[in-house]
């Protein structure tokens, strides 16, 4: 049936899904470490005690905490993905109901993404555990919801422009080495810029 189809597809490609999931989880952990490090660096800089290497070392010490919160959000994302797949499957037989459910799931996922967008930044800046970080993030985003939405829109536009710059540079060359390096460099720039922007924004608005 249409409802069983997504689960059947996952079942026959389970090994591939597991490899992709583990790869993404590893990438999220590494990115979480950099987010944590930037947040801690900005916090220490405010106290005239900044040191990028110190922040990096401390962020590595917090890997279990970073992994736990990453796992928490990964499970939520997986749950939404399952419900979204079910709603799309339902729309094959019950058009309007399935589409309404899919829209609700998408809107709810966007809402939660905005509410918890600063979770890792808060954890690094406040040196808090997972539970406290989630509570503080929720309170922070509730207080600055409109500003955070505008911040995320502007940040998305900037990162999209940087990505387009990378595509443009790729179109100018056929050198294999340069073609390999450009996406890596653009990705590092986008990641560093975004993580630093989150840390600076939180440090400004949380005071």
């Amino acid at each position: 049936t249409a409802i069983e189809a997504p689960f059947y597809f996952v079942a026959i490609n389970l090994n591939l899904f597991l490899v992709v999931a583990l790869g993404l989880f590893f990438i999220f952990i590494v990115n979480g470490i950099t987010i944590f490090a930037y947040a801690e660096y900005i916090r220490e800089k405010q106290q005239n005690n900044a040191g990028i290497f110190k922040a990096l070392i401390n962020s590595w010490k917090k890997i279990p905490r970073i992994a736990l919160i990453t796992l928490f959000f990964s499970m939520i994302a997986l749950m939404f993905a399952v419900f979204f797949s079910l709603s799309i499957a339902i729309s094959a037989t019950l058009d309007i109901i399935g589409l309404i459910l899919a829209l609700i799931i998408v809107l709810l996922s966007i809402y939660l993404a905005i509410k918890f967008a600063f979770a890792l930044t808060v954890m690094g800046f406040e040196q808090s555990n997972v539970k406290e970080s989630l509570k503080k993030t929720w309170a922070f985003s509730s207080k600055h919801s409109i500003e955070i939405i505008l911040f995320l829109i502007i940040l998305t536009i900037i990162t999209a422009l940087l990505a387009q710059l990378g595509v443009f540079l790729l179109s100018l060359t056929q050198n294999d080495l340069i073609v390999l390096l450009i996406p890596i460099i653009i990705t590092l720039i986008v990641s560093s810029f975004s993580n630093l922007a989150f840390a600076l924004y939180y440090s400004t608005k949380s005071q």
Side-chain angles (χ1 to χ4, degrees), residues 22-37:
L22 289 174
L24 288 174
F25 186 73
F26 175 77
I27 292 172
F28 292 150
I29 292 294
V30 173
N31 189 56
I33 292 170
T34 59
I35 293 173
F36 193 99

Side-chain angles (χ1 to χ4, degrees), residues 98-127:
L99 291 176
I100 291 174
L101 287 174
L103 180 60
I104 291 173
I105 291 169
V106 169
L107 292 176
L108 183 58
S109 62
I110 292 173
Y111 173 76
L112 291 178
I114 293 171
K115 295 295 287 186
F116 291 115
F118 285 82
L120 279 165
T121 301
V122 170
M123 180 181 285
F125 198 90
E126 304 290 351
Q127 297 292 296

